[in-house]
Amino acid sequence: MSLFRRGGVWWYEFWFAGRRIQESSKSPSKTVAKNAEQKRRRELEEGFNNFTDTRQERIRTFSDMAEEYFNAYKLRLPQSARFAAYAIDHLKRILGSKMLVDFNEATVIHYQNARLGEKASPKSVNEEVGFLLRILGDPGDLMRIRLHKRKMLKLKVRQSVGRAFTPDEKDSLLEEARKARSPHIFAALSLALNAGMRDTEIKTLTWGQIDFTKNYLAVGRSKTEAGEGRTIPLNSTLLEVFSEYGEWYREKFGMPHPEWYVFPFGKPSPSDPTRPVTTLKTAWNNVRKNAKVKGRWHDNRHTLITDLAESGAGDQTIMDIAGHVSKQMLKHYSHIRMEAKRTALESIVKKSAGKDASVQENGRAAGVKQEALIGLENGAPQPTRSNRIAPPANSSSAKKTEQNYSELPMITRHSEGESLQKSLQSCNFEGDREVEKRCKSLKLNGGRGRNRTYNLSVKSRMLCQLSYASNQSGFAVRLRALHTACTPRKSLLTLEEYSTVCEWFPKARCKPESALRRLFMIAARTDWSRG
């Protein structure tokens, strides 16, 4: 430690944590400079060791701390200052005389019980406790953690408070609002029911926010960031209401300016368009009483969101109109009515009835196809899609048709040494009935991989799909020929078994090309020329 004099003023100099500290005491007294050096050294030591004296802070009263907090709060969040003042006044009334050192978890629980005893709502008590813990600072954060661990931080709040008005209730409210003495209530109620705007958004609406050329309005100051600045289209009802309201406004104040409020201030009648109306509560209570409808003003917003949800509007569209930031809040506001639920459930019954009718139609079509296949077994011609009348069985045309249908399309390409599956994928099928060629007898010394099958169910399924596909593609295969095809394999499928399987021919789901390829996979191991 060293002291020296420079220009009539004493300086002190010392070393701390490897650094040289040289500062002026701003005093001509050596004693003052010596005390200043000791104080400065102690400050550095306390700061280096993270030690601060908070005794004066801990004996401050809660009223002083709350007042200091509110002065800073209203500068940063002026739109919420009114509710903050309401909550902090209750805190000061009950806890104002306590010092910071007296606060603990029991104090918070005592405040919750005291407010509930005054019939305060749980939601309001939760908001006030939030302000309390923020005012207390770091000790409040510690108490928040302990209360949350004990599940005593927040009181249980009722989830479904709001409701959606029925169409009859909406009509009654609008009718009474039109007859009300207040010039604002009908236009404001129409905005709430057709635009879903909040109470403050309606009261602070200016003419500059409404674009009548493009028929939309832009919301100004809002409760949430998603709600502020959102655009809402004006439907035909709102355009008609604003047209009527605008005439009254021009007669009262002249041509409106963009910065003028749509709902001007004044009591008992509007008188100052440069200031917004302060409340619509009295007019709303009168309208609700005369209409004999129970509900809050905010329920008008619930009603619009419910109407949009029931109309089938998407969640994102509803959130953009309402200014919500989450689907959880959207779910809170949407109250699907019983009639909409009944209609949704009734639509299932109608859909099931339509499906049964479609099944019956398919059954009748399946019966026609089955009769046609049985006719083919007896030598009858295949009916065409134009429902032409078939010629008699003993006519020359019938015999020619039977001769054509008893023959199968041939494989035009199959090189020696090439795999059967590859050959089948590259073969050409001629579906023209005028090309009448007999199929060559093919022999294969054992199948490869998936081409070999001796499973009766698989064989039956392939034959049934083949018969249905050949019927659809213009070919016909006689049951005797298919039965003959299976004979070299020790009668894998008898005629009686095949006739039984014919009952579910129409149920086969297979493209004609795929079925024909499966046919040639069977034909490669059998002799079709004997049919």
Side-chain angles (χ1 to χ4, degrees), residues 63-272:
S63 295
D64 296 338
M65 300 174 62
E67 192 68 26
E68 181 181 348
Y69 176 85
F70 178 70
N71 291 335
Y73 184 90
K74 65 182 180 181
L75 295 176
R76 290 172 171 79
L77 299 172
Q79 66 273 16
S80 304
R82 183 177 179 181
F83 177 76
Y86 165 82
I88 292 176
D89 285 344
H90 284 293
L91 291 171
K92 291 166 63 176
R93 177 173 57 86
I94 298 177
L95 305 174
S97 60
K98 288 182 174 293
M99 294 184 294
L100 178 60
V101 69
D102 297 328
F103 281 89
N104 51 31
E105 294 82 9
T107 307
V108 178
I109 297 174
H110 170 72
Y111 178 81
Q112 291 175 336
N113 296 334
R115 290 291 288 139
L116 290 175
E118 297 175 353
K119 305 300 181 181
S121 66
K123 186 175 185 300
S124 298
V125 177
N126 290 339
E127 295 289 345
E128 294 168 7
V129 170
F131 278 106
L132 169 62
L133 298 179
R134 288 192 291 271
I135 291 172
L136 295 179
D138 293 340
D141 294 338
L142 183 59
M143 282 185 274
R144 185 192 306 274
I145 296 173
R146 292 175 177 172
L147 289 171
H148 179 73
K149 186 176 181 180
R150 296 168 58 184
K151 297 182 179 181
M152 301 186 68
L153 177 61
K154 290 186 177 182
L155 302 175
K156 188 175 182 180
V157 180
R158 291 179 297 172
Q159 295 298 328
S160 1
V161 177
R163 61 181 294 262
F165 296 126
T166 64
D168 293 338
E169 291 175 336
K170 287 171 55 178
D171 295 339
S172 299
L173 289 172
L174 290 172
E175 182 179 355
E176 293 298 330
R178 185 180 287 275
K179 296 186 299 185
R181 188 177 69 173
S182 171
H184 297 331
I185 188 62
F186 179 70
L189 181 60
S190 299
L191 271 175
L193 289 174
N194 292 274
M197 298 175 65
R198 299 180 177 92
D199 178 62
T200 303
E201 296 171 351
I202 294 175
K203 291 186 296 186
T204 58
L205 181 66
T206 62
W207 290 106
Q209 296 172 228
I210 306 177
D211 190 341
F212 289 103
T213 58
K214 297 181 180 179
N215 296 337
Y216 76 90
L217 63 85
V219 179
R221 189 180 66 189
S222 181
K223 179 181 178 180
T224 62
E225 294 182 1
E228 189 167 344
R230 72 183 189 275
T231 56
I232 303 175
L234 300 176
N235 57 19
S236 57
T237 301
L238 285 179
L239 290 175
E240 183 180 353
V241 169
F242 272 113
S243 176
E244 180 180 348
Y245 183 78
E247 294 179 2
W248 169 86
Y249 197 96
R250 285 189 292 270
E251 292 178 1
K252 183 74 175 179
F253 303 104
M255 187 60 64
H257 294 236
E259 66 275 9
W260 283 3
Y261 290 97
V262 176
F263 303 103
F265 172 81
K267 190 175 181 180
S269 62
S271 58
D272 188 1

Side-chain angles (χ1 to χ4, degrees), residues 349-370:
V349 178
K350 295 179 180 179
K351 183 177 180 181
S352 178
K355 185 177 181 181
D356 293 341
S358 176
V359 170
Q360 294 177 0
E361 182 95 11
N362 294 337
R364 287 194 293 269
V368 173
K369 292 180 181 179
Q370 182 175 355

Side-chain angles (χ1 to χ4, degrees), residues 150 473 512 517:
R150 296 168 58 184
S473 60
R517 287 174 183 168

Side-chain angles (χ1 to χ4, degrees), residues 258-403:
E259 66 275 9
W260 283 3
Y261 290 97
V262 176
F263 303 103
F265 172 81
K267 190 175 181 180
S269 62
S271 58
D272 188 1
T274 60
R275 297 170 57 191
V277 64
T278 56
T279 181
L280 296 169
K281 183 180 294 185
T282 302
W284 165 249
N285 288 336
N286 292 334
V287 168
R288 186 185 55 176
K289 180 179 179 181
N290 295 334
K292 299 179 180 179
V293 175
K294 295 182 179 180
R296 309 168 302 162
W297 174 264
H298 201 63
D299 291 336
N300 296 311
R301 179 174 165 87
H302 286 249
T303 302
L304 173 72
I305 296 174
T306 302
D307 291 340
L308 291 174
E310 292 179 352
S311 66
D315 291 349
Q316 189 59 46
T317 301
I318 301 177
M319 291 169 62
D320 290 342
I321 294 175
H324 289 156
V325 296
S326 65
K327 291 187 178 181
Q328 182 66 25
M329 184 59 65
L330 176 62
K331 182 179 179 181
H332 173 73
Y333 273 78
S334 179
H335 312 278
I336 306 300
R337 301 185 183 93
M338 181 60 65
E339 188 62 29
K341 297 178 182 179
R342 194 186 311 278
T343 303
L345 293 176
E346 192 66 27
S347 64
I348 299 177
V349 178
K350 295 179 180 179
K351 183 177 180 181
S352 178
K355 185 177 181 181
D356 293 341
S358 176
V359 170
Q360 294 177 0
E361 182 95 11
N362 294 337
R364 287 194 293 269
V368 173
K369 292 180 181 179
Q370 182 175 355
E371 292 176 1
L373 290 173
I374 295 175
L376 289 175
E377 183 181 4
N378 299 328
Q382 180 188 13
T384 61
R385 293 188 178 183
S386 58
N387 296 328
R388 291 179 295 181
I389 300 175
N394 56 358
S395 62
S396 59
S397 60
K399 294 180 180 179
K400 184 177 180 180
T401 303
E402 180 179 354
Q403 180 180 359

